[in-house]
Amino acid sequence: MYNINNDIRTKKSAELIYQGLLQCLKTKHISEVTVTDIYHASSVSRSTFYHLFDNTIDVLHYKCDLFTDEINTYIAEHSTCTMKELFIGIYEIHQNYQVLLELLIKQNLLHLLFVLKEHFCTTLQKFLENKYVLTQVQQEYYFTTLSTSILSTFITWVKRGCQETPNELYEYAISYNDFLKEIMNENY
């Protein structure tokens, strides 16, 4: 668990700790990184670390929650935009968290990616629930599939070296939809 309030100094310390963790992860796996490693790399004291975080993985939970909060805020502030505008905006936010996504993938921390997907699924469901009439079962399947698809797009984007723009990612998502319709309707 982490304990980060809205105090500017606390947030700055948390960011320094995250940057220190990133430095450590250039040479070690997350399971090998100690609090001592982090405070040496971040110039933040051991007591400050433990005041803000219980352990090293909590630092990543904190950053994932910031990522989720930014997406939730974006969706809430753009509730009247088109789906294309919404998805491109979400893709742009993912670009801002490219380092975090690369880290989660490289360190094989898929459980944190799954938590991100769950948060994203809930947010999409809230955004779209009044726009479409779906049964509860349809909502569960559709929004899980949609959020998983978006997250998978970003995993692929990171693995490909983050080359594509948000517009290109959106176009791939649309063409994937067409591809999926085609293969699902094909007679075998």
Side-chain angles (χ1 to χ4, degrees):
M1 201 71 199
Y2 59 84
N3 181 32
I4 313 292
N5 57 33
N6 284 328
D7 177 62
I8 293 171
R9 285 183 356 180
T10 301
K11 288 183 176 183
K12 184 176 180 181
S13 294
E15 184 59 28
L16 287 171
I17 290 168
Y18 172 67
Q19 292 302 321
L21 177 60
L22 291 180
Q23 287 301 314
C24 295
L25 292 174
K26 288 180 180 178
T27 58
K28 295 182 176 185
H29 187 271
I30 186 76
S31 63
E32 301 168 331
V33 175
T34 66
V35 172
T36 302
D37 294 331
I38 294 172
Y39 82 76
H40 282 308
S42 68
S43 72
V44 173
S45 72
R46 182 180 198 85
S47 62
T48 299
F49 180 93
Y50 281 115
H51 177 71
L52 300 178
F53 302 101
D54 290 343
N55 54 53
T56 55
I57 202 76
D58 285 345
V59 179
L60 296 177
H61 277 282
Y62 168 67
K63 287 304 277 192
C64 286
D65 285 349
L66 288 178
F67 180 32
T68 302
D69 290 347
E70 192 169 334
I71 289 174
N72 289 344
T73 300
Y74 179 84
I75 290 173
E77 291 174 353
H78 295 85
S79 62
T80 60
C81 70
T82 67
M83 287 306 292
K84 181 177 182 176
E85 293 166 337
L86 179 74
F87 278 85
I88 289 174
I90 290 170
Y91 289 152
E92 287 170 350
I93 292 168
H94 278 75
Q95 284 183 316
N96 297 339
Y97 287 87
Q98 174 183 340
V99 172
L100 177 63
L101 291 169
E102 289 172 343
L103 168 69
L104 296 177
I105 293 165
K106 181 180 176 189
Q107 295 284 326
N108 200 27
L109 299 170
L110 301 180
H111 65 285
L112 289 176
L113 288 172
F114 183 77
V115 170
L116 284 174
K117 187 221 48 101
E118 288 297 308
H119 287 297
F120 192 49
C121 181
T122 302
T123 302
L124 279 174
Q125 196 166 355
K126 288 178 186 173
F127 177 78
L128 295 171
E129 69 186 352
N130 295 325
K131 297 181 189 307
Y132 301 95
V133 178
L134 301 171
T135 67
Q136 182 62 36
V137 172
Q138 287 174 318
Q139 286 182 30
E140 289 174 26
Y141 279 104
Y142 294 1
F143 295 121
T144 298
T145 302
L146 182 58
S147 60
T148 302
S149 176
I150 291 168
L151 187 57
S152 296
T153 298
F154 282 105
I155 291 170
T156 303
W157 176 71
V158 166
K159 287 181 177 181
R160 287 186 35 77
C162 308
Q163 300 173 36
E164 294 81 14
T165 66
N167 279 317
E168 289 171 321
L169 292 176
Y170 176 78
E171 293 304 322
Y172 283 128
I174 295 300
S175 65
Y176 166 75
N177 227 7
D178 295 339
F179 173 71
L180 187 60
K181 283 182 197 173
E182 184 178 319
I183 62 172
M184 296 302 280
N185 290 322
E186 200 169 294
N187 293 323
Y188 288 100

